[in-house]
Amino acid sequence: MAQKNSVRSYDKLADLYEGEQVGNRFEQDSNFTIHRMQEVHDRPVTSPVFRANYYSFVLVKEGKSFYTIDDRKYETRPGTLYFTNPGHLKSFGIEEVVHGFLITTIEQYLKKYVHQDVFKEFSFLLTETVPPCYLDATSFNELHGLAEQLFGEQQKQSPLKDNIISSLFVVFLLKVKAYLMADTSFKIAYDRDSEIANKFKKDLEAIFREGKPSPQNLQVAFFAEQQGLNASYFSTVIKVKTGKSANKYIQEKLLVEAKALLTGSILPIKAIAYRLGYTEPTHFSKFFKRMTGKSPNQFRKS
């Protein structure tokens, strides 16, 4: 957790609840979480502004609440589905105890358990800001039923637990995608800075999805040039919209891809380094050690 200008940043949902005291505390031992809203928020509460470095999906069956993303405020009502992605300034308020589900996950989990090219199938996850979706009873009950199944599997100790949960979550994501695409009121409200940040994320994702990272196209100047922007201005926009410098965002993305290859493949370290655009495998090892405190081999064995 880091703090700057009084806005705290959280990598895990459990850390948010402990750090801001916005709900009942709990232990988190997985990068996928699902909770009943009424159990973690059993009384009205209003959070401070914070930055969450994970994806959140919320289903509101009953109750009254609101949430803010950057400078936008959204109201929820029974039958609401909404999700937020990492990096934004957020806050929320529970005005009447909400019954429903809260699901969180991170990119590394999605890459490992859903699909390496998860953003190709579920490109909506990269959208800068998505307003809430108000579902009809049938659609909402379908999603709520899937959430109930996910919640039940999360409580079990099966050796195939992650595989079962990820399979159910794929169905959940497909349903979310279908509802968003079918909702005629679903509009993405872009401002210019949001367009810049959104294109940067998609350009960065495309480089790894196409297997073409290189020392040249993982530079901030490259992404700025793709949009015809001055590198300094581009960096400022990314910093404001995501809370991270463009260079840090690129490095963290590179680290996610490296971890996915180390845990999800049997490729030699040298081959992984080349695949990630390093001309010298030792440079990759130094980067990984600096970012994680472990060598690639140590991480793979841990």
Side-chain angles (χ1 to χ4, degrees), residues 32-85:
F32 179 92
T33 74
I34 179 166
H35 296 277
R36 294 189 189 277
M37 287 286 288
Q38 62 270 30
E39 293 178 357
V40 292
H41 297 292
D42 57 5
R43 62 182 65 87
V45 66
T46 300
S47 80
V49 174
F50 62 94
R51 200 181 295 274
N53 298 320
Y54 47 81
Y55 294 88
S56 297
F57 296 82
V58 178
L59 289 171
V60 178
K61 186 175 183 179
E62 299 174 14
K64 184 179 179 183
S65 63
F66 69 86
Y67 67 101
T68 68
I69 302 293
D70 298 330
D71 59 348
R72 300 176 178 90
K73 181 178 180 180
Y74 301 104
E75 303 285 343
T76 72
R77 62 184 189 231
T80 297
L81 155 71
Y82 73 87
F83 83 90
T84 60
N85 53 21

Side-chain angles (χ1 to χ4, degrees), residues 30 32 109 113 154 158-167:
S30 171
F32 179 92
Y109 179 92
Y113 289 107
Q154 185 77 332
S158 166
L160 297 177
K161 178 177 176 177
D162 287 325
N163 303 80
I164 295 170
I165 287 175
S166 60
S167 295

Side-chain angles (χ1 to χ4, degrees), residues 210-243:
E210 295 166 9
K212 298 179 180 178
S214 72
Q216 290 74 39
N217 65 16
L218 291 180
Q219 298 294 319
V220 173
F222 171 83
F223 293 100
E225 186 178 342
Q226 295 302 296
Q227 301 195 47
L229 299 172
N230 172 274
S232 177
Y233 170 72
F234 173 81
S235 297
T236 299
V237 170
I238 300 303
K239 177 69 173 178
V240 169
K241 297 302 292 184
T242 70

Side-chain angles (χ1 to χ4, degrees), residues 23-249:
N24 296 323
R25 298 181 185 180
F26 55 86
E27 297 294 325
Q28 180 175 338
D29 58 3
S30 171
N31 287 326
F32 179 92
T33 74
I34 179 166
H35 296 277
R36 294 189 189 277
M37 287 286 288
Q38 62 270 30
E39 293 178 357
V40 292
H41 297 292
D42 57 5
R43 62 182 65 87
V45 66
T46 300
S47 80
V49 174
F50 62 94
R51 200 181 295 274
N53 298 320
Y54 47 81
Y55 294 88
S56 297
F57 296 82
V58 178
L59 289 171
V60 178
K61 186 175 183 179
E62 299 174 14
K64 184 179 179 183
S65 63
F66 69 86
Y67 67 101
T68 68
I69 302 293
D70 298 330
D71 59 348
R72 300 176 178 90
K73 181 178 180 180
Y74 301 104
E75 303 285 343
T76 72
R77 62 184 189 231
T80 297
L81 155 71
Y82 73 87
F83 83 90
T84 60
N85 53 21
H88 295 283
L89 292 176
K90 305 177 183 179
S91 69
F92 63 84
I94 307 294
E95 297 167 297
E96 297 174 3
V97 174
V98 171
H99 290 249
F101 285 100
L102 167 61
I103 298 172
T104 71
T105 190
I106 62 172
E107 181 176 337
Q108 186 180 344
Y109 179 92
L110 293 172
K111 292 277 188 176
K112 181 176 181 180
Y113 289 107
V114 175
H115 197 281
Q116 180 65 25
D117 291 335
V118 62
F119 297 122
K120 184 176 182 180
E121 176 66 34
F122 302 112
S123 59
F124 71 86
L125 292 172
L126 295 173
T127 305
E128 186 66 10
T129 303
V130 179
C133 187
Y134 304 112
L135 303 176
D136 60 61
T138 300
S139 299
F140 183 85
N141 288 336
E142 282 185 328
L143 271 188
H144 195 270
L146 283 168
E148 287 279 9
Q149 287 182 272
L150 283 164
F151 183 80
E153 293 297 334
Q154 185 77 332
Q155 311 309 307
K156 298 177 182 178
Q157 298 302 319
S158 166
L160 297 177
K161 178 177 176 177
D162 287 325
N163 303 80
I164 295 170
I165 287 175
S166 60
S167 295
L168 286 170
F169 193 50
V170 167
V171 179
F172 183 90
L173 290 174
L174 285 168
K175 287 289 186 181
V176 170
K177 178 180 177 181
Y179 298 148
L180 291 178
M181 296 304 104
D183 187 351
T184 56
S185 66
F186 174 66
K187 301 292 184 217
I188 306 299
Y190 284 113
D191 58 27
R192 177 57 179 147
D193 287 354
S194 292
E195 290 178 356
I196 292 170
N198 196 40
K199 179 166 172 44
F200 167 56
K201 292 178 183 179
K202 290 184 176 180
D203 287 347
L204 181 59
E205 178 61 29
I207 287 171
F208 287 99
R209 187 171 66 242
E210 295 166 9
K212 298 179 180 178
S214 72
Q216 290 74 39
N217 65 16
L218 291 180
Q219 298 294 319
V220 173
F222 171 83
F223 293 100
E225 186 178 342
Q226 295 302 296
Q227 301 195 47
L229 299 172
N230 172 274
S232 177
Y233 170 72
F234 173 81
S235 297
T236 299
V237 170
I238 300 303
K239 177 69 173 178
V240 169
K241 297 302 292 184
T242 70
K244 304 172 185 176
S245 68
N247 187 57
K248 183 173 178 60
Y249 200 99

